[in-house]
């Protein structure tokens, strides 16, 4: 039973159907009819105007969004365990032409305004030190914790006060949104740009960069091509995004995954390292306990020596979740 | 009738079948079983060992291949009408960290050793001038002309003599290969790396970077992730490539496209600006003549004021080609 | 007798005196009293407000100025024989993070608005092609020709119309200014930034970047430090600049050099490849003729097979110029 | 009395004399007779072959040296308080094209092999994480502490074992060397490249990059020009370096500064935050105590709330050091 990664899951049926439906000749790149519908579709979801670019990976989404906000001599405040710092193979350094990640702490890989201030306040306003140009937060965080609307608002206020851009890495935005009650506008808050992830949530190869500051999109459009991310048959990516938005499949998928995670969490008690506010569980357990779980056919990653990471996907069977819950309870 | 771009065509049925067949959970990124088969499959096609990376676009393929050969302070000799110079939105500047394209002439957008020497011989070997680190040639060229094996060999010899890497942009490599008789090894010759294109030839979103110098692949692997081109569900890309190689679909598709182009070329006589050695026709014709063709429902790009570019695709109906030939003959 | 390069000349006595005068402890970097006087001193010379940064080389001056105007995905229109294209070892690619030089023609290495339009008008406004962000012109040009005020004004108008920054490489700005009558304001015209050269004109190691758009200086200040060009004992550079401005030494030096060049040019007639409007002469002459000159102890560079480049410096003795004129007349 | 920074000090008389002696026409850039003598002169100092480039700043020296060792997708292990991380305005990100600084701890800003291993051992050998390409250590460290020869050797062994380049930032190399007994070879140990600082030690505007791996110099030479650091009248920089080596002025100057620092340290006892092994003293003292010192005309930087940084220079009068010692003793 698969709790390794939501990346490893297969693709939702609506994706296949939409891609097939797009399989006729059309304008190349993003000039096709499907791509042209994205801005409107996402604007409806968020209840405010936005400009949307498809792209194949979350890494590209994050870095293209940030590249429109940050000059090469600037910096981006992010959590020291953020994906852009830990897992993107140095992509921010590449896309931002050497700009620097300014690392902050914060419980459960979430940033509070005080965490951000602790990083930027000591920076002297002189040319010897890299100045912050933007903040990047992750919704849900690397530890599966979701920012509440007032938490995002407080960070946005700080960003505005200091003249910084605000980016949200939403690789699991759908899961956060489902956890928070289902309003995309609430879950995103007043950020300037959102990397809205679909691949971990049943998509195949399309993520959306949602620019609420639409001038940033005009820059990112050039940067996307320059990064080799403007696919020539872009309609197959656009179709995936629309299929997920249509009828709120994205939200439904995320609820399924979250629900499986909560089922498991419900028995974990003190073993939980972080609140379960999305589809990930970080579970304290010994190597022997992990061995026990694996012998029962559960697949997952170790998290250091004394913990396991368990991730539910859009198609995790309720039965698997229940079995895992029982197995954990029995440890 | 569509002669606009092979980019605009739909996707070959084997692609869909292979992608569906890959639609089960597997390791993320390129750790899956399908991606793991690429090296072997391409080595069989070329009859020599190679290391292969999938990537979503030709721009990424070209630039990642070159980034493994060229230091940031170096240069790449290419034709002044090469795709990397004209149509990639500055991607080489990005991927090569500011390395310079050193532009050469050459009939039909092909380079001869003398064209290359005309560019590199005047470069003083001092720090004031950008030194060449690599050569990039395009097979088939921007004007649909194919390098013969001895032509590639002569360039490779020059490259070796001067210590330069040799890259081949094969966005339409299949078409060149079909024109030259069908041997991939002959069409590629002794280059260090080949961007082997599939998207223009019936694929959806997967190109192959084929490294014959396999040490370059070890660098490019890091650069691919760093560029956000390592898709998390890579098996859907790998599956496309294997499907195209299996039973030589790639070659069959290219032959169909070439054959349509030749049908059209057979009536064009003096109107042909370049020999037709792949699936593209550059046709001298007046604005009025283009109007006439369009009124008969043929779709294509203008090429400057006095010419048209006509591109046949893997699925161009023979009938469309014949009709276009008749229409041209009747101009 | 030295006509090789104005770079090779020694340093003017006022430079030494001013550097010695600055040889007391003071704030490091550019916080010292001498550096703090630059803005005012240059604003007086140009009769309008400007912000000035010292830097050690013309290459750094050009590239830092441009880096404040051009985004990494943009381009800079310049002459195909401009110093930034030909002689800076790829520095623009480095400083502009891969932005592209868009090469234009133009007699005597000067650009006219029509030359610029010929480059930028064909650029489609789409993401596949690098868009121009700035124009760079050279005063005096690589061939020692000076832009007249109305010529600069016409280019500035075009720049404004297209939303492009305008930079002037003034490695020999002093010579152009002397030729044009001595008004720095006239010689610079309405450019946004000027690399004002002093090293070729009797300085030791200080050039000025003069920002008439002072917001650009705020960016360039960070970029200067980031490029390792913020020297810790900056007062020795600032002192050089002030010494040259004081009593118009810069203009006096340039007049001396120009006058020597004109002396030589006066006998050259048909041999002149370009008008002599600064301190450089490009002289048609055979290898045998060059041999004759060298045998008389004149030192200079060949310029291709059939010409010589002769450069007069701030301290070229009038007698040397006269002797060279006689020698040329006698060829 | 000046204890603010060795950067703020004036220039040693031999520097002026040597620069004046170089004030005749010579080949531009580094083709002059003085620059040509550097390799030999430094090889004599270190007792082994090296290739030497002059450059105007320590930031440029550090970053050019590293740029020859580190690919853009790699990383550099350094102390989290290293100058390249804290005080160079993001220059490493610029010069290394986005490569990453991998930050280690270590007492008194020195790295031990175990500190380095704590950073690099957890890095998985996969493309998602930035791999180390080099190590940079600082001699003397940011806190004025010197690596003993066996400490450098142990780091070099680790570097070799892991295939990493090894760079030494020697902004205060002379002070470390003086402290360690005066052998440059011992103080540098088996590093691949050393930024040998002179400006803080009585120089004006010249630092040396000493490449013991001379192949790195061939790369750095191109990078220096590309960074705008190849000054056209380089002989004035080369002359400074030779003047400092001649008769061991560099060592004499460093001994004077160290001796002043030791004088002060001798009374500081428990107030010393770090051993005094060069020319810097980090002194625990309250704001009131700092006020007392300043009222006696001592000039220095605060170091956080509860400390002061006092730096002796090559020309700090022994009398000033004694007075400061007395003042501290009297606190």
């Amino acid at each position: 039973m698969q709790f390794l990664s939501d990346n490893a899951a297969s693709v939702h049926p609506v994706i296949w159907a939409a891609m097939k439906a797009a399989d006729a000749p059309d304008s190349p790149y993003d000039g096709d009819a499907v791509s042209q519908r994205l801005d409107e579709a996402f604007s409806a979801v968020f209840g405010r105007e936005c400009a949307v670019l498809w792209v194949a990976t979350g890494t590209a989404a994050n870095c293209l969004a940030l590249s429109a906000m940050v000059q090469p001599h600037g910096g981006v405040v992010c959590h020291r365990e953020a994906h852009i710092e830990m897992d993107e193979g140095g992509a921010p350094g590449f896309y931002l032409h050497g700009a620097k990640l300014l690392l902050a702490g914060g419980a459960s890989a979430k940033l509070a305004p005080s965490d951000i201030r602790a990083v930027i306040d000591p920076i002297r306003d002189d040319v010897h030190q890299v100045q912050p140009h933007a903040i990047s937060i992750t919704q849900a965080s690397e530890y599966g914790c979701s920012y509440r609307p007032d938490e995002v608002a407080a960070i946005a206020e700080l960003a505005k006060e200091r003249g910084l851009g605000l980016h949200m890495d939403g690789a699991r935005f759908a899961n956060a949104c489902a956890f928070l009650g289902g309003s995309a506008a609430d879950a995103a808050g007043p950020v300037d740009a959102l990397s809205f992830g679909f691949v971990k949530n049943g998509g195949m190869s399309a993520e959306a960069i949602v620019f609420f500051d639409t001038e940033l999109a005009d820059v990112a459009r050039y940067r996307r091509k320059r990064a080799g991310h403007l696919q020539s048959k872009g309609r197959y990516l656009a179709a995936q995004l629309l299929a997920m938005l249509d009828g709120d499949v994205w939200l439904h998928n995320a609820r399924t995954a979250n629900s499986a995670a909560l089922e498991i969490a419900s028995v974990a008690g003190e073993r939980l390292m972080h609140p379960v506010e999305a589809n990930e569980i970080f579970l304290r357990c010994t190597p022997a306990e992990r061995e026990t779980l694996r012998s029962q056919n559960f697949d997952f990653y170790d998290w250091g020596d004394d913990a396991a990471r368990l991730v539910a996907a859009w198609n995790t069977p309720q039965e698997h979740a229940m079995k895992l819950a029982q197995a954990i309870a029995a440890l």
Side-chain angles (χ1 to χ4, degrees), chain A residues 6-331:
Chain A
D6 35 11
N7 263 340
S10 59
V11 164
H12 193 281
V14 298
I15 296 285
W16 289 107
M19 290 173 77
K20 279 301 263 182
D23 190 31
D26 200 340
S27 293
Y29 306 110
D30 62 353
D32 63 274
V34 198
S35 297
Q36 295 297 312
R37 287 175 47 206
L38 290 179
D39 289 1
E40 194 184 336
F42 278 87
S43 295
V45 167
F46 286 95
R48 59 172 168 142
E49 197 198 348
C50 56
V52 174
L53 304 188
W54 45 249
V55 74
T57 67
T59 294
N62 289 336
C63 292
L64 286 169
L66 287 168
S67 78
M69 296 179 184
V70 176
Q71 286 204 62
H73 62 280
V76 179
V77 183
C78 68
H79 197 278
R80 64 178 69 259
E81 299 190 74
H83 202 263
I84 55 174
E85 162 66 9
M86 294 295 285
D87 298 296
E88 300 194 347
F94 179 46
Y95 274 85
L96 307 186
H97 302 99
K100 192 173 173 177
L101 300 185
L102 305 166
L103 305 179
S108 296
K110 284 171 59 183
L111 297 178
S114 58
D115 299 313
I116 298 167
R117 275 195 212 99
V119 169
I120 63 179
D121 283 352
I123 296 175
R124 294 189 316 270
D125 180 19
D126 72 29
V127 300
H128 300 271
Q129 302 200 314
V130 173
Q131 304 297 313
H133 288 194
I135 300 167
S136 180
I137 58 176
T138 306
Q139 176 78 307
S141 82
E142 298 303 309
Y143 289 117
C145 296
S146 294
Y147 286 88
R148 304 305 187 277
D150 64 321
E151 292 175 326
V152 178
I155 292 172
E157 193 174 355
L158 175 60
K160 196 175 174 186
E161 180 189 316
R162 306 292 175 98
L164 308 177
L166 180 55
H167 165 253
M168 180 178 276
D169 175 355
R172 293 188 180 90
F173 178 76
N175 302 96
C177 189
F179 171 77
L180 293 167
S183 157
D186 282 359
V191 301
D192 299 310
L194 164 69
S195 303
F196 190 157
F198 290 92
V199 175
K200 290 181 196 294
N201 194 30
M204 180 192 285
S205 60
E207 312 281 62
I209 322 179
V210 182
F211 288 100
F212 299 106
D213 176 344
T214 57
E215 284 184 16
L216 298 175
D218 296 330
V219 173
R221 230 177 281 279
Y222 284 96
R223 299 289 178 103
R224 177 175 64 173
K225 170 60 200 177
R226 189 176 185 243
H229 276 287
L230 183 65
Q231 297 194 21
S232 58
K233 297 181 177 175
R235 57 196 185 274
Y236 298 105
L237 282 84
Q240 295 178 49
L241 301 181
L242 291 182
M244 291 293 268
L245 294 192
D246 194 28
D248 287 341
V249 174
W250 66 283
L251 206 47
H252 178 80
N253 283 1
R255 283 180 178 136
T256 305
N258 287 7
S259 155
L262 280 176
E263 175 80 34
I264 299 160
S266 66
V267 304
E270 292 289 301
R271 288 182 181 275
L272 291 180
M273 298 169 67
H274 303 281
V276 175
E277 303 179 351
N279 61 326
E280 294 184 293
I281 297 145
F282 293 81
L283 195 79
R284 287 187 189 90
C285 52
T286 64
E289 290 171 335
R290 295 200 297 270
E291 192 50 40
T292 303
L293 293 175
R294 284 193 173 112
S295 71
Q296 295 171 60
N297 212 20
F298 296 106
D299 205 9
F300 54 86
Y301 281 116
D302 288 351
W303 197 259
D305 290 338
D306 300 315
R309 187 188 79 156
L310 304 155
V311 189
W314 68 274
N315 59 356
T316 296
Q318 192 66 14
E319 188 201 347
H320 290 190
M322 289 173 62
K323 284 191 179 162
L324 179 53
Q326 290 163 0
I328 290 170
L331 284 177

